[in-house]
Amino acid sequence: MEEFTVATNATAIVSSKASIGLNVNIGDFTIIFDNVVIGDNVSIQSHCLIGQPTPLSNGEPLIIGNDSLIRSHSVFYEGSQFGSKLMTGHRVTVREKIEAGENLMIGTHCDLQGHTKIGDYVRLYTGAQINHASNIGDFVRIYHYSVLTNDPNPPSNIVLGVKVNKFAVIATMCCILPGIQIGENALVGAGSLVRKDVEPETVVAGVPAKYICRTSDIVLKDGSNQKAYPWMRHFHRGYPKEITDEWMSIYDN
Ligand SMILES: CC(C)(COP(=O)(O)OP(=O)(O)OC[C@H]1O[C@@H](n2cnc3c(N)ncnc32)[C@H](O)[C@@H]1OP(=O)(O)O)[C@@H](O)C(=O)NCCC(=O)NCCS
């Protein structure tokens, strides 16, 4: 371990088989297991399990990209990989066989069950639950306590994952039924039960969810009378300038 700059608190346990980058900080009582690769400039707070062994990983490592922050009491199994700038809230659970891009946010209490593809700049808010075989596109935002399901006849061995296409928004406390596709730039209203595919750039809402309008029909509730969607026109917080500049060049015209 001598060649690494690892600030490890006295109560943390770091396997000598793990590969740890430069400038990595590991909090009290955290365990870094054997089959783990951690990039540079990563902070892992206290009481985390990083690379929890499981036979379901088929021996693949847990890979955490550069410049990541994993907050306290989080559990990551071995066998998943995350690009740079991963950020979690507290107490997240992340299982094996997830392939995620860069700049993923996993909010407090999220539960990612594994075997899932996640694009770049995805935002998962508090308590979101992502089941096996989900496929989440770039810039998707899934809000608090929403669930992507996968078993149409529980309990069964059928796995029909949900696909959420890029820039789509799933508002708070939605349930998306197995095998459903949410179209690009679509919006699922709060508290919806989605049992049919959602067309791109449309708003659906309710139980069961029904077509409400085009996303372009919704106006921001700030008195400005501006269109609320595509949201990339006015909401830039947390995205790098090169990306928001590109959005501005598209939507200013
Ligand atoms: C979908 C949404 C944006 C629509 O808002 P809106 O443009 O103000 O729409 P309105 O409230 O005028 O509703 C239009 C119609 O759709 C229905 N509707 C809207 N949202 C609905 C919802 N979530 N569930 C069921 N029906 C809904 C309304 O009942 C109304 O139908 P009506 O004309 O027959 O009465 C809003 O309901 C929503 O879900 N916002 C997201 C909140 C959220 O979760 N934020 C993220 C976390 S903070």
Side-chain angles (χ1 to χ4, degrees):
M1 300 291 284
E2 297 75 27
E3 69 265 43
F4 302 127
T5 318
V6 186
T8 301
N9 287 296
T11 53
I13 299 172
V14 180
S15 165
S16 59
K17 293 183 181 154
S19 164
I20 314 279
L22 293 169
N23 191 27
V24 171
N25 206 302
I26 297 169
D28 281 321
F29 302 104
T30 280
I31 301 176
I32 311 286
F33 290 91
D34 296 352
N35 200 10
V36 171
V37 178
I38 296 177
D40 298 336
N41 308 316
V42 171
S43 181
I44 299 174
Q45 294 184 346
S46 69
H47 300 85
C48 291
L49 300 179
I50 302 297
Q52 170 75 41
T54 168
L56 301 174
S57 74
N58 297 332
E60 287 170 30
L62 170 69
I63 301 175
I64 305 288
N66 295 338
D67 305 308
S68 293
L69 168 62
I70 297 179
R71 290 199 169 84
S72 66
H73 299 268
S74 293
V75 178
F76 279 69
Y77 282 67
E78 64 179 355
S80 285
Q81 58 182 76
F82 297 86
S84 60
K85 298 191 177 154
L86 166 70
M87 182 166 73
T88 82
H90 301 278
R91 298 179 191 277
V92 308
T93 303
V94 178
R95 296 292 311 233
E96 64 283 343
K97 303 272 184 185
I98 293 172
E99 239 179 80
E102 57 184 63
N103 221 302
L104 168 63
M105 187 197 87
I106 307 176
T108 293
H109 284 158
C110 279
D111 176 24
L112 280 61
Q113 279 295 300
H115 299 261
T116 282
K117 279 199 173 14
I118 303 177
D120 294 331
Y121 297 94
V122 169
R123 303 285 180 261
L124 306 175
Y125 285 87
T126 303
Q129 209 226 354
I130 310 298
N131 278 292
H132 282 192
S134 298
N135 188 332
I136 302 175
D138 296 341
F139 301 101
V140 161
R141 307 178 69 89
I142 300 181
Y143 282 90
H144 316 83
Y145 302 104
S146 285
V147 179
L148 307 187
T149 65
N150 68 10
D151 182 353
N153 310 116
S156 81
N157 296 315
I158 308 165
V159 179
L160 297 177
V162 167
K163 180 163 192 207
V164 188
N165 286 289
K166 60 185 176 181
F167 297 108
V169 175
I170 298 178
T172 300
M173 298 191 88
C174 292
C175 176
I176 316 296
L177 289 184
I180 293 298
Q181 281 223 33
I182 309 290
E184 199 172 314
N185 279 310
L187 168 63
V188 179
S192 299
L193 174 73
V194 181
R195 50 183 285 273
K196 290 186 180 156
D197 288 351
V198 178
E199 292 298 313
E201 290 167 25
T202 60
V203 183
V204 301
V207 180
K210 300 232 161 70
Y211 173 83
I212 302 285
C213 59
R214 307 283 308 163
T215 48
S216 55
D217 296 331
I218 298 192
V219 166
L220 282 175
K221 284 196 193 299
D222 62 359
S224 67
N225 217 28
Q226 272 185 59
K227 285 181 186 298
Y229 300 92
W231 56 264
M232 300 77 82
R233 193 193 299 269
H234 60 87
F235 184 83
H236 295 166
R237 194 171 66 231
Y239 301 105
K241 190 167 176 322
E242 62 269 22
I243 286 179
T244 57
D245 281 352
E246 193 187 322
W247 292 345
M248 291 311 286
S249 72
I250 297 168
Y251 296 114
D252 267 1
N253 295 326

